[in-house]
Amino acid sequence: MSNEVLLMKPNEIEKVKSHYMKFKIERSAPGVVFAAKLVDTAITIYKSGKVMFQGNGATREASLWGTSSTKSLSTSVAKGDMLPANFSSLSVLGSDETGTGDYFGPITVAACYVHADQVELVKELGVKDSKMLTDDVMRKMAPDLMATLTHSVLVLKNEKYNDIQSRGWSQGKIKALMHNQALKHVLKKMEKEKPAYILIDQFAERSIYYNHLKMEKEIIHENVLFSTKAEQLHVAVAAASIIARYAFLKEMDRLTEIANTTIPKGASAKVDEIAAKIYLKHGEEFLKSITKWHFANTRKAIKIVNKRRF
C-alpha cells in the first residue's frame, strides 16, 4: 500500500470533492473535512489543504491532480541507518527519551506507534520535532496523542536512577534498557500487528546499544533502525518525544510541590543555586532523592552551601 499527499489550493480541493462526491464516506477524525473510499484507494482531505491518497491506487488517483508535495527528508540532516525514500509515510514504531541532561528530575522514555493511515492525522494534531514546541504546547498535545496512539512511557525516578548509577550503570545502558522495555510494551499492545519499521532516536552506535542489552531475555531486533534527529524523520518519534517530555514535566511538577520551590530544568548555575537552597532547607538526603547525584552540580551546590554556612 502506498501514500501520496498533495498540498492543494481551495479551488482545487473543491474540484477533488466534486470528483469523488459519489464515493463520499463519513470520517470524524480531527482535521478531516472530506473523505471518500474507492475500491483500492482512500481519499482524505484535511483543513490544512493536504489531500492524502492511500492504497494500491494512490499513485494513480494522485496523478490526476498533480505531483505529490511529500518530499523525502534528506539523509544528510541526520546520521544513522539509511531509511527508505517513503519512510515518513510508513507504519512506524518510534522511541525517544528526555531528561538525561537535567540535574533535577527523571529520565523518561516513550515509544509510540503511528500506523500509515494515522500519519496525516498526527500531523494535523500539530506533531513535529519537540525542539520546535514549547513545554506548554506539549502539555496540551500529549493527552490527545496518548488517547489516540498505541504507546508506552517509562519514568525512571531519581532514587532508582542514583541506585543503579552507583552500581556502575552508564546513562547509555540505562537508556538502552528503557528503550527496549518501552518498545516491548508497545509491541505487546499491538498484538498481531507489526510495524514496517522501528526507529530509535540514536544515542549510541548499534553495536554499543545491543551490547548494553546482552543480558536481557527479550531484545527487540526485527526491523530496528537508528538515526539521529529521528523526530524529523517520522512523526512516530516526534510523538514519542512529546509524550516523554510530558511525563518528565509532570514529575518535575511533583518535585516542585514537595520541595516547595520551583525546580529548574537543565544543569546551569541557576540549578546550582536552587540545589544549594534545597540542601540548606531540606538536607542532603532530600536533595539526593530528587537529583542525578553524580552530576557536577552536586559538588557546585555543596560548595555554595559551605560558603553560606561559614
Side-chain angles (χ1 to χ4, degrees):
M1 184 176 74
S2 62
N3 285 357
E4 297 285 344
V5 179
L6 302 177
L7 183 61
M8 304 181 75
K9 297 177 181 179
N11 64 316
E12 295 172 329
I13 287 175
E14 289 305 314
K15 292 178 183 179
V16 174
K17 286 182 180 179
S18 177
H19 183 80
Y20 294 111
M21 187 59 69
K22 64 181 178 180
F23 303 105
K24 182 180 178 181
I25 60 172
E26 294 300 320
R27 282 196 61 192
S28 59
V32 174
V33 297
F34 178 86
K37 184 73 171 69
L38 309 184
V39 173
D40 62 355
T41 311
I43 299 97
T44 308
I45 301 176
Y46 296 90
K47 61 183 179 183
S48 63
K50 292 179 182 177
V51 182
M52 181 172 69
F53 301 84
Q54 190 172 32
N56 294 330
T59 301
R60 180 195 69 233
E61 294 301 317
S63 68
L64 299 175
W65 308 100
T67 304
S68 174
S69 64
T70 302
K71 296 180 175 62
S72 299
L73 289 167
S74 170
T75 55
S76 65
V77 302
K79 296 179 180 179
D81 294 324
M82 183 68 70
L83 308 180
N86 63 335
F87 184 80
S88 64
S89 64
L90 299 178
S91 299
V92 170
L93 170 56
S95 65
D96 200 0
E97 82 285 330
T98 193
T100 56
D102 295 271
Y103 179 57
F104 289 101
I107 291 177
T108 60
V109 172
C112 189
Y113 177 58
V114 178
H115 191 275
D117 63 10
Q118 294 176 306
V119 169
E120 288 304 316
L121 169 60
V122 172
K123 289 179 181 178
E124 289 296 320
L125 292 174
V127 171
K128 53 186 173 182
D129 185 344
S130 65
K131 296 178 183 64
M132 300 169 65
L133 301 172
T134 66
D135 284 346
D136 286 342
V137 169
M138 287 188 279
R139 285 181 186 273
K140 294 175 182 177
M141 291 176 61
D144 287 339
L145 294 175
M146 294 167 75
T148 303
L149 303 172
T150 305
H151 70 280
S152 174
V153 58
L154 304 178
V155 178
L156 181 63
K157 294 184 178 181
N158 295 105
E159 295 95 334
K160 179 69 173 177
Y161 174 89
N162 289 328
D163 176 50
I164 58 180
Q165 190 279 328
S166 68
R167 289 190 266 131
W169 289 33
S170 66
Q171 268 205 4
K173 180 173 183 175
I174 291 169
K175 289 189 288 185
L177 289 163
M178 292 180 73
H179 275 263
N180 189 61
Q181 188 74 3
L183 294 171
K184 286 193 296 183
H185 287 172
V186 176
L187 289 170
K188 186 175 181 179
K189 292 178 183 179
M190 290 167 60
E191 297 179 341
K192 294 182 180 180
E193 185 175 1
K194 285 189 175 183
Y197 292 97
I198 294 171
L199 180 62
I200 298 174
D201 191 47
Q202 186 170 343
F203 54 87
E205 294 296 325
R206 178 185 294 272
S207 60
I208 295 172
Y209 174 86
Y210 282 114
N211 186 57
H212 288 316
L213 301 176
K214 62 185 178 182
M215 301 303 292
E216 291 296 290
K217 292 182 180 179
E218 185 180 356
I219 302 173
I220 305 303
H221 280 285
E222 187 176 1
N223 294 327
V224 172
L225 299 171
F226 295 84
S227 180
T228 61
K229 302 182 181 179
E231 295 172 344
Q232 300 173 19
L233 303 177
H234 200 283
V235 291
V237 180
S241 179
I242 291 167
I243 292 171
R245 187 65 176 177
Y246 176 69
F248 172 80
L249 293 171
K250 286 187 70 177
E251 176 63 9
M252 291 290 274
D253 291 343
R254 186 185 73 84
L255 299 184
T256 289
E257 185 175 349
I258 64 174
N260 197 29
T261 189
T262 301
I263 300 295
K265 306 175 190 74
S268 65
K270 179 183 177 182
V271 170
D272 301 337
E273 288 287 341
I274 296 298
K277 177 182 175 181
I278 292 172
Y279 188 111
L280 288 167
K281 184 175 181 180
H282 298 288
E284 179 178 311
E285 285 305 309
F286 180 84
L287 179 63
K288 185 175 183 179
S289 73
I290 63 173
T291 63
K292 299 177 183 71
W293 194 244
H294 67 105
F295 275 31
N297 301 87
T298 298
R299 175 178 51 79
K300 294 174 183 178
I302 292 175
K303 187 175 181 179
I304 293 170
V305 167
N306 288 336
K307 284 183 178 179
R308 290 180 182 173
R309 279 180 171 170
F310 300 102

